[in-house]
PDB file of all heavy atoms in Angstrom:
ATOM      1  N   LEU A 301      -9.161  34.079   9.591  1.00  0.00           N
ATOM      2  CA  LEU A 301      -9.826  33.063  10.402  1.00  0.00           C
ATOM      3  C   LEU A 301     -10.433  31.948   9.565  1.00  0.00           C
ATOM      4  O   LEU A 301     -10.366  30.772   9.943  1.00  0.00           O
ATOM      5  CB  LEU A 301     -10.906  33.713  11.271  1.00  0.00           C
ATOM      6  CG  LEU A 301     -10.425  34.721  12.326  1.00  0.00           C
ATOM      7  CD1 LEU A 301     -11.603  35.248  13.132  1.00  0.00           C
ATOM      8  CD2 LEU A 301      -9.396  34.082  13.256  1.00  0.00           C
ATOM      9  N   ASP A 302     -11.061  32.275   8.437  1.00  0.00           N
ATOM     10  CA  ASP A 302     -11.710  31.241   7.622  1.00  0.00           C
ATOM     11  C   ASP A 302     -10.693  30.209   7.139  1.00  0.00           C
ATOM     12  O   ASP A 302     -10.942  28.998   7.198  1.00  0.00           O
ATOM     13  CB  ASP A 302     -12.423  31.882   6.426  1.00  0.00           C
ATOM     14  CG  ASP A 302     -13.648  32.675   6.845  1.00  0.00           C
ATOM     15  OD1 ASP A 302     -14.131  32.441   7.980  1.00  0.00           O
ATOM     16  OD2 ASP A 302     -14.109  33.525   6.060  1.00  0.00           O
ATOM     17  N   ALA A 303      -9.546  30.678   6.658  1.00  0.00           N
ATOM     18  CA  ALA A 303      -8.514  29.758   6.168  1.00  0.00           C
ATOM     19  C   ALA A 303      -7.951  28.916   7.304  1.00  0.00           C
ATOM     20  O   ALA A 303      -7.742  27.704   7.160  1.00  0.00           O
ATOM     21  CB  ALA A 303      -7.400  30.542   5.481  1.00  0.00           C
ATOM     22  N   LEU A 304      -7.699  29.532   8.458  1.00  0.00           N
ATOM     23  CA  LEU A 304      -7.120  28.809   9.589  1.00  0.00           C
ATOM     24  C   LEU A 304      -8.078  27.743  10.119  1.00  0.00           C
ATOM     25  O   LEU A 304      -7.645  26.662  10.538  1.00  0.00           O
ATOM     26  CB  LEU A 304      -6.746  29.779  10.707  1.00  0.00           C
ATOM     27  CG  LEU A 304      -5.583  30.737  10.388  1.00  0.00           C
ATOM     28  CD1 LEU A 304      -5.472  31.814  11.438  1.00  0.00           C
ATOM     29  CD2 LEU A 304      -4.264  29.968  10.262  1.00  0.00           C
ATOM     30  N   ARG A 305      -9.383  28.047  10.103  1.00  0.00           N
ATOM     31  CA  ARG A 305     -10.357  27.054  10.559  1.00  0.00           C
ATOM     32  C   ARG A 305     -10.379  25.828   9.647  1.00  0.00           C
ATOM     33  O   ARG A 305     -10.714  24.724  10.077  1.00  0.00           O
ATOM     34  CB  ARG A 305     -11.746  27.680  10.607  1.00  0.00           C
ATOM     35  CG  ARG A 305     -11.976  28.621  11.790  1.00  0.00           C
ATOM     36  CD  ARG A 305     -13.436  29.010  11.890  1.00  0.00           C
ATOM     37  NE  ARG A 305     -13.696  29.841  13.060  1.00  0.00           N
ATOM     38  CZ  ARG A 305     -13.930  31.158  12.986  1.00  0.00           C
ATOM     39  NH1 ARG A 305     -13.934  31.763  11.807  1.00  0.00           N
ATOM     40  NH2 ARG A 305     -14.173  31.844  14.085  1.00  0.00           N
ATOM     41  N   GLN A 306     -10.021  25.991   8.369  1.00  0.00           N
ATOM     42  CA  GLN A 306     -10.041  24.879   7.420  1.00  0.00           C
ATOM     43  C   GLN A 306      -8.745  24.070   7.400  1.00  0.00           C
ATOM     44  O   GLN A 306      -8.723  22.957   6.877  1.00  0.00           O
ATOM     45  CB  GLN A 306     -10.298  25.406   6.001  1.00  0.00           C
ATOM     46  CG  GLN A 306     -11.663  26.027   5.809  1.00  0.00           C
ATOM     47  CD  GLN A 306     -11.860  26.500   4.378  1.00  0.00           C
ATOM     48  OE1 GLN A 306     -11.905  25.690   3.448  1.00  0.00           O
ATOM     49  NE2 GLN A 306     -11.961  27.809   4.193  1.00  0.00           N
ATOM     50  N   LEU A 307      -7.687  24.614   7.985  1.00  0.00           N
ATOM     51  CA  LEU A 307      -6.376  23.964   7.865  1.00  0.00           C
ATOM     52  C   LEU A 307      -6.369  22.552   8.436  1.00  0.00           C
ATOM     53  O   LEU A 307      -5.810  21.633   7.835  1.00  0.00           O
ATOM     54  CB  LEU A 307      -5.306  24.809   8.559  1.00  0.00           C
ATOM     55  CG  LEU A 307      -3.897  24.211   8.597  1.00  0.00           C
ATOM     56  CD1 LEU A 307      -3.371  23.943   7.186  1.00  0.00           C
ATOM     57  CD2 LEU A 307      -2.941  25.129   9.353  1.00  0.00           C
ATOM     58  N   LEU A 308      -6.962  22.350   9.605  1.00  0.00           N
ATOM     59  CA  LEU A 308      -6.901  21.058  10.274  1.00  0.00           C
ATOM     60  C   LEU A 308      -8.078  20.161   9.910  1.00  0.00           C
ATOM     61  O   LEU A 308      -8.258  19.098  10.508  1.00  0.00           O
ATOM     62  CB  LEU A 308      -6.850  21.255  11.792  1.00  0.00           C
ATOM     63  CG  LEU A 308      -5.695  22.124  12.313  1.00  0.00           C
ATOM     64  CD1 LEU A 308      -5.719  22.201  13.829  1.00  0.00           C
ATOM     65  CD2 LEU A 308      -4.348  21.607  11.825  1.00  0.00           C
ATOM     66  N   ILE A 309      -8.873  20.561   8.904  1.00  0.00           N
ATOM     67  CA  ILE A 309      -9.992  19.760   8.422  1.00  0.00           C
ATOM     68  C   ILE A 309      -9.612  19.171   7.075  1.00  0.00           C
ATOM     69  O   ILE A 309      -9.376  19.904   6.109  1.00  0.00           O
ATOM     70  CB  ILE A 309     -11.270  20.613   8.276  1.00  0.00           C
ATOM     71  CG1 ILE A 309     -11.630  21.245   9.626  1.00  0.00           C
ATOM     72  CG2 ILE A 309     -12.421  19.790   7.734  1.00  0.00           C
ATOM     73  CD1 ILE A 309     -12.768  22.233   9.548  1.00  0.00           C
ATOM     74  N   GLU A 310      -9.565  17.852   6.983  1.00  0.00           N
ATOM     75  CA  GLU A 310      -9.063  17.220   5.757  1.00  0.00           C
ATOM     76  C   GLU A 310     -10.010  17.351   4.574  1.00  0.00           C
ATOM     77  O   GLU A 310      -9.601  17.214   3.442  1.00  0.00           O
ATOM     78  CB  GLU A 310      -8.766  15.743   6.026  1.00  0.00           C
ATOM     79  CG  GLU A 310      -7.706  15.520   7.086  1.00  0.00           C
ATOM     80  CD  GLU A 310      -6.442  16.351   6.874  1.00  0.00           C
ATOM     81  OE1 GLU A 310      -6.141  16.728   5.722  1.00  0.00           O
ATOM     82  OE2 GLU A 310      -5.763  16.656   7.859  1.00  0.00           O
ATOM     83  N   SER A 311     -11.280  17.602   4.817  1.00  0.00           N
ATOM     84  CA  SER A 311     -12.229  17.698   3.722  1.00  0.00           C
ATOM     85  C   SER A 311     -12.563  19.147   3.394  1.00  0.00           C
ATOM     86  O   SER A 311     -13.677  19.461   2.996  1.00  0.00           O
ATOM     87  CB  SER A 311     -13.523  16.947   4.082  1.00  0.00           C
ATOM     88  OG  SER A 311     -14.068  17.493   5.287  1.00  0.00           O
ATOM     89  N   ALA A 312     -11.608  20.032   3.582  1.00  0.00           N
ATOM     90  CA  ALA A 312     -11.847  21.447   3.321  1.00  0.00           C
ATOM     91  C   ALA A 312     -12.235  21.665   1.863  1.00  0.00           C
ATOM     92  O   ALA A 312     -11.622  21.101   0.964  1.00  0.00           O
ATOM     93  CB  ALA A 312     -10.576  22.245   3.636  1.00  0.00           C
TER      94      ALA A 312
END
Side-chain angles (χ1 to χ4, degrees):
L301 296 182
D302 290 342
L304 292 169
R305 285 190 176 106
Q306 295 181 66
L307 176 59
L308 303 182
I309 302 173
E310 299 311 334
S311 58

